[in-house]
């Protein structure tokens, strides 16, 4: 019933009374429990879902619907506090802690819109990998793969797989270096990373607070717009579709195409040609600030490593370290070597690079490039070779992490396929706090990017 249905299409059925939210919720839970890949979800919230679905059903029958999303299912990455369930952050070391006593602020906001929380999705442990591999709860299979077990991308692996597999129309993830946009691109769905601070972060387990942001994974830009409105407490979306003739894109010539797979570049460039033919202005330029980010990291260390180490320092010094994913431990401990002076240098340089990037853009321009330089790779070689794991992880995070460092908002839209028929993502980014303009543009560009116009 819910397979590959958008929020918009389900809303028509639920709001018209053709589909009762209780039946939709039961069907959703049945699909999840019967799905071949049991590593997508780490837990279901059946009792809560039944209560919320029943309340939505009664409201809608009485003519008191809370709006477009009332009675529709949503899943949460295992970083969000959901009252009555344990926020384990994809780890076994938190599995025995007390259940959350209250909802995260964004969970409560989405609940106020009438959405039905059905469960928690799997993820990279402590959100510290762009690949989505989890040795504790299993790694979700990429639903787009038709040959071998390919990674779903991370760290919001289960969230992307749940949507791509048609189990839920919406899942909410977090994005510190690409953790919404990467799995969206790898699985062929839409992933929107909001500007850091657009939503209240209370009740969300952090990774690196100067980089952490949130966002929805779904099947369309319109669904992302609806989810965004609910996530920051609006009763209805306020985004207006942009006019194609008013849109301008700039394609970076720095970093983002380095060592990119030919098929990925071809899919992206084909989408650009469609946009240009429709009247969208496109130009290309170098972005020295992009290269400067990686030069800074080589000199001072990574901002995410410094903040993740500060968060997990006591855990790494105790017995919990032996229970964690060894690869997560290795990456987190890199932060121990970052001095306070290096950390401050990173923050100061970050401010300079954000301003330099803004000054290099013409008024109203959006940045466009492939979300990833490659399609989702097979999992087995990554499990067998730590060096390969770290190399692929760094390359996977490269393009998207630029946006986190520069405090962009961004949205990944499928633009075709690459090697092995795997999805390719087209990333559109805007400077911080220009989310409404980004989403308005994405609404107008989506069909052309997907080659559906």
């Amino acid at each position: 019933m819910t397979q590959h249905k958008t929020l918009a299409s389900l809303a028509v059925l639920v709001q018209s009374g053709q589909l009762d939210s209780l039946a939709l919720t039961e069907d959703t839970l049945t699909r999840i429990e019967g799905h071949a890949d049991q590593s997508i979800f780490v837990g279901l919230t059946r009792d809560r879902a039944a209560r919320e679905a029943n309340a939505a059903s009664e409201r809608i029958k009485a003519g008191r619907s809370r709006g477009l999303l009332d009675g529709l299912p949503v899943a949460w990455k295992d970083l969000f506090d959901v009252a009555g369930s344990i926020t384990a952050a994809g780890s076994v070391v938190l599995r025995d802690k007390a259940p959350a006593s209250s909802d995260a602020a964004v969970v409560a906001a989405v609940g106020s819109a009438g959405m039905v929380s059905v469960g928690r999705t799997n993820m990279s442990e402590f959100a510290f990998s762009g690949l989505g591999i989890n040795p504790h709860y299993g790694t979700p299979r990429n639903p787009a793969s038709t040959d071998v077990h390919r990674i779903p991308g991370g760290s919001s692996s289960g969230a992307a797989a749940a949507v791509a597999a048609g189990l839920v129309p919406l899942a909410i993830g977090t994005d510190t270096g690409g953790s919404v946009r990467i799995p969206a691109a790898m699985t062929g769905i839409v992933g929107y990373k909001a500007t850091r601070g657009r939503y209240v972060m209370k009740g969300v387990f952090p990774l690196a607070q100067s980089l952490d942001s949130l966002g929805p994974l779904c099947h369309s830009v319109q669904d992302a717009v609806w989810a965004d409105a609910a996530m920051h407490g609006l009763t209805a979306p306020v985004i207006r579709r942009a006019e194609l003739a008013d849109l301008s894109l700039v394609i970076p010539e720095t970093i983002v195409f380095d060592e990119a797979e030919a098929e990925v570049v071809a899919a992206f460039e084909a989408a650009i040609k469609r946009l240009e033919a429709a009247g969208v202005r496109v130009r290309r330029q170098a972005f020295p600030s992009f290269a400067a980010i990686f030069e800074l990291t080589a000199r001072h260390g990574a901002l995410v490593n410094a903040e993740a180490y500060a968060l997990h320092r006591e855990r790494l010094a105790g017995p919990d370290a032996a229970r964690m994913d060894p690869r997560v431990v290795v990456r987190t401990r890199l932060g121990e070597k970052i001095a306070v002076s290096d950390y401050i240098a990173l923050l100061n340089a970050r401010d300079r690079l954000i301003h330099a990037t803004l000054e290099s853009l013409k008024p109203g321009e959006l940045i466009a490039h492939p979300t990833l330089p490659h399609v989702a790779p097979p999992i087995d070689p990554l499990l067998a070779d730590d060096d390969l794991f770290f190399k692929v992880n760094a390359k996977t995070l490269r393009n998207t992490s630029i946006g986190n460092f520069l405090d962009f908002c961004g949205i990944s839209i499928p633009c075709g396929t690459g090697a092995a028929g795997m999805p390719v993502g087209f990333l559109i980014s805007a400077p911080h706090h220009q989310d409404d303009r980004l989403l308005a543009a994405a609404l107008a560009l989506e069909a052309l990017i997907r080659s559906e116009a």
Side-chain angles (χ1 to χ4, degrees), residues 235-387:
T235 55
V238 295
I239 308 298
R240 180 177 297 173
R241 186 185 304 267
E243 296 293 332
L244 286 173
D246 295 334
L247 297 178
S248 298
L249 301 178
V250 57
I251 301 172
E253 295 176 323
T254 310
I255 299 292
V256 294
F257 289 97
D258 292 356
E259 299 181 19
E261 293 175 353
E263 299 93 335
V264 168
V265 176
F268 174 81
E269 294 293 353
I272 288 294
K273 287 182 180 179
R274 295 192 293 272
L275 296 177
E276 289 181 309
V280 177
R281 294 182 295 278
V282 178
R283 69 180 186 90
R284 300 167 193 259
Q285 75 167 50
F287 278 83
S289 58
F290 286 17
I293 293 169
F294 298 95
E295 293 164 5
L296 277 169
T297 299
R299 187 159 65 249
H300 299 292
L303 194 56
V304 65
N305 289 344
E307 297 190 7
Y309 178 73
L311 176 69
H312 293 290
R313 180 176 54 195
E314 292 183 9
R315 186 169 287 118
L316 293 176
D320 281 347
R323 303 169 63 200
M324 292 170 58
D325 181 348
R327 291 161 168 176
V328 170
V329 172
V330 167
R331 286 193 70 204
T332 307
R333 282 187 169 148
L334 291 174
E336 186 176 12
K337 302 174 184 177
I338 300 174
V340 173
S341 58
D342 288 310
Y343 180 69
I344 293 172
L346 285 168
L347 293 179
N348 290 338
R350 184 188 189 194
D351 285 340
R352 292 196 302 272
L353 291 176
I354 288 172
H355 290 300
T357 305
L358 293 179
E359 290 173 0
S360 72
L361 295 172
K362 294 180 180 179
E365 278 187 328
L366 299 167
I367 297 171
H369 58 77
T371 310
L372 303 170
H374 56 82
V375 298
I379 189 173
D380 285 345
L382 299 170
L383 295 176
D385 185 339
D386 280 359
D387 289 340

Side-chain angles (χ1 to χ4, degrees), residues 43-79:
L44 299 181
T45 51
R46 255 195 177 278
D47 291 344
R48 176 184 179 133
R51 290 195 307 271
E52 291 179 334
N54 184 67
S57 177
E58 294 300 319
R59 283 193 299 270
I60 293 167
K61 287 175 183 176
R64 295 182 290 102
S65 171
R66 290 184 178 176
L68 300 167
L69 299 176
D70 206 0
L72 304 187
V74 60
W76 298 95
K77 183 178 184 177
D78 191 26
L79 288 179

